[in-house]
Amino acid sequence: MTRRPVPGVGVAIIDGRKLVLIKRGRGVGAGLWAVPGGKVEYGETLEETALREAREETGLEVSLGPVVWVGESIGPGEPPEWHYTLVDFVAFVVGGTLSHGDDAAAAEWVDFDRASELAMTPTMPPLLKALDGYLDG
């Protein structure tokens, strides 16, 4: 059986210099903070996945902006325990109320400049760097 990377998305929901972060409740990165996101379902576009994951994990309806970061998360071991290819979008709230979904332990608006102080998934630092450039641009 050939193993292949799993496509996933992240959604950097912003308002000024605030960012919605979720504390992962299970799976890869459980207990760590990250933007909402998840795996692409078969037949679902990246954009559809981003909208669904934002709604499921935060209770927020969002409008997607551009892709702000593309990268990978590859787990330890040989072969690796996991391999995700990731596409992260910026997004803006258009409705809903912030709450965490059943696969997240918490969801919060975090000051962008404080986000790096949290225990984050390994893909968050490069995303924050790319997002900071977007926010400043």
PDB file of all heavy atoms in Angstrom, residues 22-63:
ATOM      1  N   ILE A  22      -7.377  28.183  18.082  1.00  0.00           N
ATOM      2  CA  ILE A  22      -8.042  27.108  18.803  1.00  0.00           C
ATOM      3  C   ILE A  22      -6.984  26.253  19.483  1.00  0.00           C
ATOM      4  O   ILE A  22      -5.855  26.121  18.999  1.00  0.00           O
ATOM      5  CB  ILE A  22      -8.926  26.251  17.874  1.00  0.00           C
ATOM      6  CG1 ILE A  22      -8.116  25.612  16.745  1.00  0.00           C
ATOM      7  CG2 ILE A  22     -10.075  27.047  17.316  1.00  0.00           C
ATOM      8  CD1 ILE A  22      -8.370  24.154  16.643  1.00  0.00           C
ATOM      9  N   LYS A  23      -7.360  25.707  20.619  1.00  0.00           N
ATOM     10  CA  LYS A  23      -6.508  24.744  21.313  1.00  0.00           C
ATOM     11  C   LYS A  23      -6.974  23.370  20.866  1.00  0.00           C
ATOM     12  O   LYS A  23      -8.122  22.991  21.089  1.00  0.00           O
ATOM     13  CB  LYS A  23      -6.632  24.906  22.826  1.00  0.00           C
ATOM     14  CG  LYS A  23      -5.626  24.104  23.587  1.00  0.00           C
ATOM     15  CD  LYS A  23      -5.689  24.445  25.067  1.00  0.00           C
ATOM     16  CE  LYS A  23      -4.528  23.836  25.810  1.00  0.00           C
ATOM     17  NZ  LYS A  23      -4.582  24.187  27.247  1.00  0.00           N
ATOM     18  N   ARG A  24      -6.099  22.653  20.181  1.00  0.00           N
ATOM     19  CA  ARG A  24      -6.449  21.347  19.635  1.00  0.00           C
ATOM     20  C   ARG A  24      -6.857  20.406  20.765  1.00  0.00           C
ATOM     21  O   ARG A  24      -6.151  20.282  21.759  1.00  0.00           O
ATOM     22  CB  ARG A  24      -5.274  20.755  18.863  1.00  0.00           C
ATOM     23  CG  ARG A  24      -4.880  21.597  17.668  1.00  0.00           C
ATOM     24  CD  ARG A  24      -5.240  20.880  16.395  1.00  0.00           C
ATOM     25  NE  ARG A  24      -5.012  21.746  15.258  1.00  0.00           N
ATOM     26  CZ  ARG A  24      -5.978  22.128  14.429  1.00  0.00           C
ATOM     27  NH1 ARG A  24      -7.191  21.734  14.607  1.00  0.00           N
ATOM     28  NH2 ARG A  24      -5.714  22.900  13.411  1.00  0.00           N
ATOM     29  N   GLY A  25      -7.990  19.743  20.569  1.00  0.00           N
ATOM     30  CA  GLY A  25      -8.519  18.857  21.593  1.00  0.00           C
ATOM     31  C   GLY A  25      -8.102  17.410  21.421  1.00  0.00           C
ATOM     32  O   GLY A  25      -8.149  16.633  22.362  1.00  0.00           O
ATOM     33  N   ARG A  26      -7.707  17.032  20.204  1.00  0.00           N
ATOM     34  CA  ARG A  26      -7.316  15.635  19.951  1.00  0.00           C
ATOM     35  C   ARG A  26      -6.507  15.561  18.664  1.00  0.00           C
ATOM     36  O   ARG A  26      -6.393  16.536  17.943  1.00  0.00           O
ATOM     37  CB  ARG A  26      -8.553  14.743  19.881  1.00  0.00           C
ATOM     38  CG  ARG A  26      -9.527  15.123  18.798  1.00  0.00           C
ATOM     39  CD  ARG A  26     -10.710  14.157  18.758  1.00  0.00           C
ATOM     40  NE  ARG A  26     -11.608  14.553  17.693  1.00  0.00           N
ATOM     41  CZ  ARG A  26     -12.882  14.807  17.845  1.00  0.00           C
ATOM     42  NH1 ARG A  26     -13.429  14.692  19.020  1.00  0.00           N
ATOM     43  NH2 ARG A  26     -13.624  15.162  16.820  1.00  0.00           N
ATOM     44  N   GLY A  27      -5.938  14.394  18.429  1.00  0.00           N
ATOM     45  CA  GLY A  27      -5.178  14.167  17.208  1.00  0.00           C
ATOM     46  C   GLY A  27      -3.810  14.833  17.249  1.00  0.00           C
ATOM     47  O   GLY A  27      -3.307  15.188  18.318  1.00  0.00           O
ATOM     48  N   VAL A  28      -3.210  15.002  16.074  1.00  0.00           N
ATOM     49  CA  VAL A  28      -1.897  15.627  15.963  1.00  0.00           C
ATOM     50  C   VAL A  28      -1.968  17.032  16.563  1.00  0.00           C
ATOM     51  O   VAL A  28      -2.849  17.809  16.237  1.00  0.00           O
ATOM     52  CB  VAL A  28      -1.441  15.694  14.491  1.00  0.00           C
ATOM     53  CG1 VAL A  28      -0.141  16.461  14.361  1.00  0.00           C
ATOM     54  CG2 VAL A  28      -1.291  14.293  13.916  1.00  0.00           C
ATOM     55  N   GLY A  29      -1.076  17.338  17.493  1.00  0.00           N
ATOM     56  CA  GLY A  29      -1.045  18.662  18.098  1.00  0.00           C
ATOM     57  C   GLY A  29      -2.033  18.863  19.230  1.00  0.00           C
ATOM     58  O   GLY A  29      -2.281  20.005  19.624  1.00  0.00           O
ATOM     59  N   ALA A  30      -2.605  17.798  19.777  1.00  0.00           N
ATOM     60  CA  ALA A  30      -3.554  17.943  20.884  1.00  0.00           C
ATOM     61  C   ALA A  30      -2.910  18.745  22.004  1.00  0.00           C
ATOM     62  O   ALA A  30      -1.759  18.519  22.373  1.00  0.00           O
ATOM     63  CB  ALA A  30      -3.995  16.574  21.390  1.00  0.00           C
ATOM     64  N   GLY A  31      -3.652  19.729  22.536  1.00  0.00           N
ATOM     65  CA  GLY A  31      -3.165  20.584  23.609  1.00  0.00           C
ATOM     66  C   GLY A  31      -2.399  21.802  23.140  1.00  0.00           C
ATOM     67  O   GLY A  31      -2.076  22.669  23.943  1.00  0.00           O
ATOM     68  N   LEU A  32      -2.122  21.883  21.844  1.00  0.00           N
ATOM     69  CA  LEU A  32      -1.377  23.019  21.300  1.00  0.00           C
ATOM     70  C   LEU A  32      -2.335  23.968  20.576  1.00  0.00           C
ATOM     71  O   LEU A  32      -3.404  23.572  20.108  1.00  0.00           O
ATOM     72  CB  LEU A  32      -0.299  22.526  20.329  1.00  0.00           C
ATOM     73  CG  LEU A  32       0.756  21.598  20.927  1.00  0.00           C
ATOM     74  CD1 LEU A  32       1.709  21.104  19.839  1.00  0.00           C
ATOM     75  CD2 LEU A  32       1.506  22.273  22.053  1.00  0.00           C
ATOM     76  N   TRP A  33      -1.931  25.219  20.478  1.00  0.00           N
ATOM     77  CA  TRP A  33      -2.729  26.247  19.809  1.00  0.00           C
ATOM     78  C   TRP A  33      -2.387  26.313  18.323  1.00  0.00           C
ATOM     79  O   TRP A  33      -1.233  26.136  17.932  1.00  0.00           O
ATOM     80  CB  TRP A  33      -2.482  27.603  20.459  1.00  0.00           C
ATOM     81  CG  TRP A  33      -3.037  27.679  21.844  1.00  0.00           C
ATOM     82  CD1 TRP A  33      -2.394  27.341  22.998  1.00  0.00           C
ATOM     83  CD2 TRP A  33      -4.340  28.086  22.224  1.00  0.00           C
ATOM     84  NE1 TRP A  33      -3.225  27.519  24.074  1.00  0.00           N
ATOM     85  CE2 TRP A  33      -4.434  27.987  23.626  1.00  0.00           C
ATOM     86  CE3 TRP A  33      -5.460  28.538  21.525  1.00  0.00           C
ATOM     87  CZ2 TRP A  33      -5.582  28.310  24.341  1.00  0.00           C
ATOM     88  CZ3 TRP A  33      -6.604  28.868  22.232  1.00  0.00           C
ATOM     89  CH2 TRP A  33      -6.663  28.754  23.615  1.00  0.00           C
ATOM     90  N   ALA A  34      -3.403  26.592  17.520  1.00  0.00           N
ATOM     91  CA  ALA A  34      -3.238  26.694  16.060  1.00  0.00           C
ATOM     92  C   ALA A  34      -4.438  27.447  15.501  1.00  0.00           C
ATOM     93  O   ALA A  34      -5.419  27.694  16.208  1.00  0.00           O
ATOM     94  CB  ALA A  34      -3.158  25.308  15.426  1.00  0.00           C
ATOM     95  N   VAL A  35      -4.358  27.791  14.236  1.00  0.00           N
ATOM     96  CA  VAL A  35      -5.542  28.318  13.566  1.00  0.00           C
ATOM     97  C   VAL A  35      -6.487  27.147  13.317  1.00  0.00           C
ATOM     98  O   VAL A  35      -6.052  25.998  13.254  1.00  0.00           O
ATOM     99  CB  VAL A  35      -5.186  29.038  12.238  1.00  0.00           C
ATOM    100  CG1 VAL A  35      -4.360  30.293  12.506  1.00  0.00           C
ATOM    101  CG2 VAL A  35      -4.504  28.123  11.259  1.00  0.00           C
ATOM    102  N   PRO A  36      -7.779  27.421  13.183  1.00  0.00           N
ATOM    103  CA  PRO A  36      -8.702  26.338  12.847  1.00  0.00           C
ATOM    104  C   PRO A  36      -8.339  25.733  11.502  1.00  0.00           C
ATOM    105  O   PRO A  36      -7.809  26.422  10.625  1.00  0.00           O
ATOM    106  CB  PRO A  36     -10.072  27.017  12.787  1.00  0.00           C
ATOM    107  CG  PRO A  36      -9.853  28.459  13.043  1.00  0.00           C
ATOM    108  CD  PRO A  36      -8.430  28.712  13.308  1.00  0.00           C
ATOM    109  N   GLY A  37      -8.623  24.469  11.342  1.00  0.00           N
ATOM    110  CA  GLY A  37      -8.335  23.814  10.078  1.00  0.00           C
ATOM    111  C   GLY A  37      -8.520  22.325  10.173  1.00  0.00           C
ATOM    112  O   GLY A  37      -8.860  21.793  11.229  1.00  0.00           O
ATOM    113  N   GLY A  38      -8.299  21.657   9.067  1.00  0.00           N
ATOM    114  CA  GLY A  38      -8.435  20.205   9.053  1.00  0.00           C
ATOM    115  C   GLY A  38      -8.240  19.631   7.673  1.00  0.00           C
ATOM    116  O   GLY A  38      -7.843  20.314   6.731  1.00  0.00           O
ATOM    117  N   LYS A  39      -8.572  18.344   7.572  1.00  0.00           N
ATOM    118  CA  LYS A  39      -8.365  17.589   6.342  1.00  0.00           C
ATOM    119  C   LYS A  39      -9.430  17.901   5.300  1.00  0.00           C
ATOM    120  O   LYS A  39     -10.592  18.114   5.619  1.00  0.00           O
ATOM    121  CB  LYS A  39      -8.419  16.094   6.650  1.00  0.00           C
ATOM    122  CG  LYS A  39      -7.351  15.622   7.600  1.00  0.00           C
ATOM    123  CD  LYS A  39      -7.585  14.165   7.961  1.00  0.00           C
ATOM    124  CE  LYS A  39      -6.694  13.756   9.122  1.00  0.00           C
ATOM    125  NZ  LYS A  39      -7.081  12.438   9.647  1.00  0.00           N
ATOM    126  N   VAL A  40      -8.995  17.873   4.054  1.00  0.00           N
ATOM    127  CA  VAL A  40      -9.893  18.028   2.923  1.00  0.00           C
ATOM    128  C   VAL A  40     -10.631  16.708   2.717  1.00  0.00           C
ATOM    129  O   VAL A  40     -10.007  15.644   2.674  1.00  0.00           O
ATOM    130  CB  VAL A  40      -9.112  18.401   1.640  1.00  0.00           C
ATOM    131  CG1 VAL A  40     -10.047  18.510   0.444  1.00  0.00           C
ATOM    132  CG2 VAL A  40      -8.327  19.684   1.845  1.00  0.00           C
ATOM    133  N   GLU A  41     -11.948  16.780   2.622  1.00  0.00           N
ATOM    134  CA  GLU A  41     -12.742  15.588   2.341  1.00  0.00           C
ATOM    135  C   GLU A  41     -12.780  15.352   0.835  1.00  0.00           C
ATOM    136  O   GLU A  41     -12.708  16.303   0.044  1.00  0.00           O
ATOM    137  CB  GLU A  41     -14.159  15.750   2.897  1.00  0.00           C
ATOM    138  CG  GLU A  41     -14.179  15.832   4.415  1.00  0.00           C
ATOM    139  CD  GLU A  41     -15.565  16.030   4.991  1.00  0.00           C
ATOM    140  OE1 GLU A  41     -16.551  16.147   4.219  1.00  0.00           O
ATOM    141  OE2 GLU A  41     -15.662  16.089   6.226  1.00  0.00           O
ATOM    142  N   TYR A  42     -12.889  14.090   0.440  1.00  0.00           N
ATOM    143  CA  TYR A  42     -12.905  13.735  -0.978  1.00  0.00           C
ATOM    144  C   TYR A  42     -14.030  14.486  -1.683  1.00  0.00           C
ATOM    145  O   TYR A  42     -15.175  14.489  -1.218  1.00  0.00           O
ATOM    146  CB  TYR A  42     -13.075  12.219  -1.145  1.00  0.00           C
ATOM    147  CG  TYR A  42     -12.864  11.764  -2.562  1.00  0.00           C
ATOM    148  CD1 TYR A  42     -11.580  11.627  -3.074  1.00  0.00           C
ATOM    149  CD2 TYR A  42     -13.938  11.489  -3.390  1.00  0.00           C
ATOM    150  CE1 TYR A  42     -11.374  11.225  -4.382  1.00  0.00           C
ATOM    151  CE2 TYR A  42     -13.749  11.084  -4.695  1.00  0.00           C
ATOM    152  CZ  TYR A  42     -12.460  10.954  -5.193  1.00  0.00           C
ATOM    153  OH  TYR A  42     -12.264  10.564  -6.481  1.00  0.00           O
ATOM    154  N   GLY A  43     -13.720  15.168  -2.791  1.00  0.00           N
ATOM    155  CA  GLY A  43     -14.692  15.922  -3.566  1.00  0.00           C
ATOM    156  C   GLY A  43     -14.920  17.336  -3.064  1.00  0.00           C
ATOM    157  O   GLY A  43     -15.687  18.089  -3.665  1.00  0.00           O
ATOM    158  N   GLU A  44     -14.253  17.718  -1.989  1.00  0.00           N
ATOM    159  CA  GLU A  44     -14.401  19.046  -1.406  1.00  0.00           C
ATOM    160  C   GLU A  44     -13.235  19.922  -1.866  1.00  0.00           C
ATOM    161  O   GLU A  44     -12.096  19.461  -1.889  1.00  0.00           O
ATOM    162  CB  GLU A  44     -14.376  18.890   0.119  1.00  0.00           C
ATOM    163  CG  GLU A  44     -14.678  20.119   0.920  1.00  0.00           C
ATOM    164  CD  GLU A  44     -14.704  19.827   2.421  1.00  0.00           C
ATOM    165  OE1 GLU A  44     -13.740  19.218   2.947  1.00  0.00           O
ATOM    166  OE2 GLU A  44     -15.688  20.215   3.046  1.00  0.00           O
ATOM    167  N   THR A  45     -13.507  21.174  -2.216  1.00  0.00           N
ATOM    168  CA  THR A  45     -12.421  22.072  -2.601  1.00  0.00           C
ATOM    169  C   THR A  45     -11.698  22.576  -1.359  1.00  0.00           C
ATOM    170  O   THR A  45     -12.213  22.479  -0.230  1.00  0.00           O
ATOM    171  CB  THR A  45     -12.951  23.288  -3.385  1.00  0.00           C
ATOM    172  OG1 THR A  45     -13.744  24.101  -2.508  1.00  0.00           O
ATOM    173  CG2 THR A  45     -13.766  22.860  -4.604  1.00  0.00           C
ATOM    174  N   LEU A  46     -10.522  23.147  -1.567  1.00  0.00           N
ATOM    175  CA  LEU A  46      -9.787  23.744  -0.450  1.00  0.00           C
ATOM    176  C   LEU A  46     -10.616  24.844   0.216  1.00  0.00           C
ATOM    177  O   LEU A  46     -10.670  24.936   1.444  1.00  0.00           O
ATOM    178  CB  LEU A  46      -8.450  24.308  -0.940  1.00  0.00           C
ATOM    179  CG  LEU A  46      -7.441  23.300  -1.474  1.00  0.00           C
ATOM    180  CD1 LEU A  46      -6.272  24.024  -2.127  1.00  0.00           C
ATOM    181  CD2 LEU A  46      -6.961  22.383  -0.377  1.00  0.00           C
ATOM    182  N   GLU A  47     -11.266  25.661  -0.601  1.00  0.00           N
ATOM    183  CA  GLU A  47     -12.083  26.759  -0.069  1.00  0.00           C
ATOM    184  C   GLU A  47     -13.272  26.232   0.730  1.00  0.00           C
ATOM    185  O   GLU A  47     -13.587  26.752   1.804  1.00  0.00           O
ATOM    186  CB  GLU A  47     -12.558  27.674  -1.203  1.00  0.00           C
ATOM    187  CG  GLU A  47     -11.441  28.464  -1.858  1.00  0.00           C
ATOM    188  CD  GLU A  47     -10.718  27.700  -2.984  1.00  0.00           C
ATOM    189  OE1 GLU A  47     -11.017  26.502  -3.222  1.00  0.00           O
ATOM    190  OE2 GLU A  47      -9.843  28.309  -3.617  1.00  0.00           O
ATOM    191  N   GLU A  48     -13.937  25.206   0.217  1.00  0.00           N
ATOM    192  CA  GLU A  48     -15.061  24.604   0.943  1.00  0.00           C
ATOM    193  C   GLU A  48     -14.598  24.025   2.275  1.00  0.00           C
ATOM    194  O   GLU A  48     -15.281  24.164   3.297  1.00  0.00           O
ATOM    195  CB  GLU A  48     -15.731  23.513   0.102  1.00  0.00           C
ATOM    196  CG  GLU A  48     -16.493  24.046  -1.088  1.00  0.00           C
ATOM    197  CD  GLU A  48     -16.892  22.968  -2.094  1.00  0.00           C
ATOM    198  OE1 GLU A  48     -16.293  21.867  -2.091  1.00  0.00           O
ATOM    199  OE2 GLU A  48     -17.797  23.246  -2.898  1.00  0.00           O
ATOM    200  N   THR A  49     -13.447  23.392   2.262  1.00  0.00           N
ATOM    201  CA  THR A  49     -12.896  22.840   3.498  1.00  0.00           C
ATOM    202  C   THR A  49     -12.624  23.946   4.502  1.00  0.00           C
ATOM    203  O   THR A  49     -12.951  23.825   5.685  1.00  0.00           O
ATOM    204  CB  THR A  49     -11.596  22.054   3.216  1.00  0.00           C
ATOM    205  OG1 THR A  49     -11.864  21.024   2.268  1.00  0.00           O
ATOM    206  CG2 THR A  49     -11.028  21.451   4.489  1.00  0.00           C
ATOM    207  N   ALA A  50     -12.029  25.039   4.042  1.00  0.00           N
ATOM    208  CA  ALA A  50     -11.704  26.148   4.937  1.00  0.00           C
ATOM    209  C   ALA A  50     -12.970  26.724   5.576  1.00  0.00           C
ATOM    210  O   ALA A  50     -13.007  26.971   6.793  1.00  0.00           O
ATOM    211  CB  ALA A  50     -10.933  27.231   4.180  1.00  0.00           C
ATOM    212  N   LEU A  51     -14.004  26.934   4.786  1.00  0.00           N
ATOM    213  CA  LEU A  51     -15.263  27.469   5.316  1.00  0.00           C
ATOM    214  C   LEU A  51     -15.885  26.501   6.324  1.00  0.00           C
ATOM    215  O   LEU A  51     -16.358  26.907   7.387  1.00  0.00           O
ATOM    216  CB  LEU A  51     -16.241  27.762   4.176  1.00  0.00           C
ATOM    217  CG  LEU A  51     -15.814  28.874   3.210  1.00  0.00           C
ATOM    218  CD1 LEU A  51     -16.751  28.905   2.001  1.00  0.00           C
ATOM    219  CD2 LEU A  51     -15.766  30.221   3.905  1.00  0.00           C
ATOM    220  N   ARG A  52     -15.892  25.206   5.993  1.00  0.00           N
ATOM    221  CA  ARG A  52     -16.462  24.189   6.879  1.00  0.00           C
ATOM    222  C   ARG A  52     -15.687  24.095   8.184  1.00  0.00           C
ATOM    223  O   ARG A  52     -16.268  24.099   9.275  1.00  0.00           O
ATOM    224  CB  ARG A  52     -16.484  22.816   6.177  1.00  0.00           C
ATOM    225  CG  ARG A  52     -16.957  21.679   7.088  1.00  0.00           C
ATOM    226  CD  ARG A  52     -16.941  20.331   6.378  1.00  0.00           C
ATOM    227  NE  ARG A  52     -15.669  19.975   5.795  1.00  0.00           N
ATOM    228  CZ  ARG A  52     -14.621  19.497   6.487  1.00  0.00           C
ATOM    229  NH1 ARG A  52     -14.665  19.362   7.797  1.00  0.00           N
ATOM    230  NH2 ARG A  52     -13.497  19.172   5.849  1.00  0.00           N
ATOM    231  N   GLU A  53     -14.365  24.033   8.093  1.00  0.00           N
ATOM    232  CA  GLU A  53     -13.551  23.896   9.297  1.00  0.00           C
ATOM    233  C   GLU A  53     -13.670  25.125  10.195  1.00  0.00           C
ATOM    234  O   GLU A  53     -13.734  24.995  11.420  1.00  0.00           O
ATOM    235  CB  GLU A  53     -12.088  23.623   8.930  1.00  0.00           C
ATOM    236  CG  GLU A  53     -11.835  22.235   8.386  1.00  0.00           C
ATOM    237  CD  GLU A  53     -11.977  21.122   9.409  1.00  0.00           C
ATOM    238  OE1 GLU A  53     -12.007  21.409  10.629  1.00  0.00           O
ATOM    239  OE2 GLU A  53     -12.049  19.950   9.001  1.00  0.00           O
ATOM    240  N   ALA A  54     -13.696  26.316   9.611  1.00  0.00           N
ATOM    241  CA  ALA A  54     -13.872  27.531  10.416  1.00  0.00           C
ATOM    242  C   ALA A  54     -15.184  27.463  11.177  1.00  0.00           C
ATOM    243  O   ALA A  54     -15.239  27.730  12.386  1.00  0.00           O
ATOM    244  CB  ALA A  54     -13.824  28.776   9.532  1.00  0.00           C
ATOM    245  N   ARG A  55     -16.259  27.085  10.489  1.00  0.00           N
ATOM    246  CA  ARG A  55     -17.589  26.992  11.118  1.00  0.00           C
ATOM    247  C   ARG A  55     -17.613  25.914  12.207  1.00  0.00           C
ATOM    248  O   ARG A  55     -18.082  26.145  13.328  1.00  0.00           O
ATOM    249  CB  ARG A  55     -18.639  26.719  10.049  1.00  0.00           C
ATOM    250  CG  ARG A  55     -20.064  26.691  10.538  1.00  0.00           C
ATOM    251  CD  ARG A  55     -21.065  26.531   9.400  1.00  0.00           C
ATOM    252  NE  ARG A  55     -20.748  25.431   8.495  1.00  0.00           N
ATOM    253  CZ  ARG A  55     -20.229  25.559   7.267  1.00  0.00           C
ATOM    254  NH1 ARG A  55     -19.985  26.748   6.765  1.00  0.00           N
ATOM    255  NH2 ARG A  55     -19.976  24.509   6.534  1.00  0.00           N
ATOM    256  N   GLU A  56     -17.076  24.714  11.898  1.00  0.00           N
ATOM    257  CA  GLU A  56     -17.110  23.603  12.852  1.00  0.00           C
ATOM    258  C   GLU A  56     -16.268  23.873  14.091  1.00  0.00           C
ATOM    259  O   GLU A  56     -16.666  23.519  15.201  1.00  0.00           O
ATOM    260  CB  GLU A  56     -16.623  22.315  12.190  1.00  0.00           C
ATOM    261  CG  GLU A  56     -17.575  21.746  11.179  1.00  0.00           C
ATOM    262  CD  GLU A  56     -17.035  20.512  10.463  1.00  0.00           C
ATOM    263  OE1 GLU A  56     -15.882  20.086  10.726  1.00  0.00           O
ATOM    264  OE2 GLU A  56     -17.769  19.982   9.619  1.00  0.00           O
ATOM    265  N   GLU A  57     -15.101  24.481  13.917  1.00  0.00           N
ATOM    266  CA  GLU A  57     -14.181  24.644  15.041  1.00  0.00           C
ATOM    267  C   GLU A  57     -14.371  25.933  15.821  1.00  0.00           C
ATOM    268  O   GLU A  57     -13.913  26.025  16.958  1.00  0.00           O
ATOM    269  CB  GLU A  57     -12.730  24.532  14.558  1.00  0.00           C
ATOM    270  CG  GLU A  57     -12.395  23.137  14.078  1.00  0.00           C
ATOM    271  CD  GLU A  57     -10.912  22.926  13.834  1.00  0.00           C
ATOM    272  OE1 GLU A  57     -10.104  23.860  13.998  1.00  0.00           O
ATOM    273  OE2 GLU A  57     -10.557  21.796  13.460  1.00  0.00           O
ATOM    274  N   THR A  58     -15.030  26.940  15.220  1.00  0.00           N
ATOM    275  CA  THR A  58     -15.140  28.236  15.903  1.00  0.00           C
ATOM    276  C   THR A  58     -16.572  28.768  16.017  1.00  0.00           C
ATOM    277  O   THR A  58     -16.793  29.732  16.739  1.00  0.00           O
ATOM    278  CB  THR A  58     -14.317  29.321  15.178  1.00  0.00           C
ATOM    279  OG1 THR A  58     -14.945  29.631  13.925  1.00  0.00           O
ATOM    280  CG2 THR A  58     -12.879  28.888  14.974  1.00  0.00           C
ATOM    281  N   GLY A  59     -17.515  28.206  15.280  1.00  0.00           N
ATOM    282  CA  GLY A  59     -18.866  28.742  15.250  1.00  0.00           C
ATOM    283  C   GLY A  59     -19.004  29.982  14.393  1.00  0.00           C
ATOM    284  O   GLY A  59     -20.077  30.577  14.328  1.00  0.00           O
ATOM    285  N   LEU A  60     -17.934  30.386  13.729  1.00  0.00           N
ATOM    286  CA  LEU A  60     -17.939  31.617  12.930  1.00  0.00           C
ATOM    287  C   LEU A  60     -18.151  31.319  11.448  1.00  0.00           C
ATOM    288  O   LEU A  60     -17.626  30.331  10.917  1.00  0.00           O
ATOM    289  CB  LEU A  60     -16.624  32.368  13.102  1.00  0.00           C
ATOM    290  CG  LEU A  60     -16.302  32.842  14.514  1.00  0.00           C
ATOM    291  CD1 LEU A  60     -14.888  33.411  14.571  1.00  0.00           C
ATOM    292  CD2 LEU A  60     -17.330  33.862  14.995  1.00  0.00           C
ATOM    293  N   GLU A  61     -18.916  32.179  10.804  1.00  0.00           N
ATOM    294  CA  GLU A  61     -19.024  32.174   9.346  1.00  0.00           C
ATOM    295  C   GLU A  61     -17.986  33.170   8.862  1.00  0.00           C
ATOM    296  O   GLU A  61     -17.888  34.281   9.395  1.00  0.00           O
ATOM    297  CB  GLU A  61     -20.416  32.594   8.898  1.00  0.00           C
ATOM    298  CG  GLU A  61     -21.517  31.661   9.355  1.00  0.00           C
ATOM    299  CD  GLU A  61     -21.445  30.270   8.726  1.00  0.00           C
ATOM    300  OE1 GLU A  61     -20.985  30.157   7.566  1.00  0.00           O
ATOM    301  OE2 GLU A  61     -21.842  29.306   9.400  1.00  0.00           O
ATOM    302  N   VAL A  62     -17.199  32.779   7.871  1.00  0.00           N
ATOM    303  CA  VAL A  62     -16.122  33.646   7.406  1.00  0.00           C
ATOM    304  C   VAL A  62     -16.181  33.847   5.905  1.00  0.00           C
ATOM    305  O   VAL A  62     -16.775  33.062   5.172  1.00  0.00           O
ATOM    306  CB  VAL A  62     -14.733  33.084   7.797  1.00  0.00           C
ATOM    307  CG1 VAL A  62     -14.596  32.966   9.303  1.00  0.00           C
ATOM    308  CG2 VAL A  62     -14.447  31.760   7.116  1.00  0.00           C
ATOM    309  N   SER A  63     -15.547  34.927   5.492  1.00  0.00           N
ATOM    310  CA  SER A  63     -15.285  35.211   4.092  1.00  0.00           C
ATOM    311  C   SER A  63     -13.796  34.993   3.879  1.00  0.00           C
ATOM    312  O   SER A  63     -12.976  35.543   4.633  1.00  0.00           O
ATOM    313  CB  SER A  63     -15.661  36.664   3.784  1.00  0.00           C
ATOM    314  OG  SER A  63     -15.238  37.017   2.492  1.00  0.00           O
TER     315      SER A  63
END
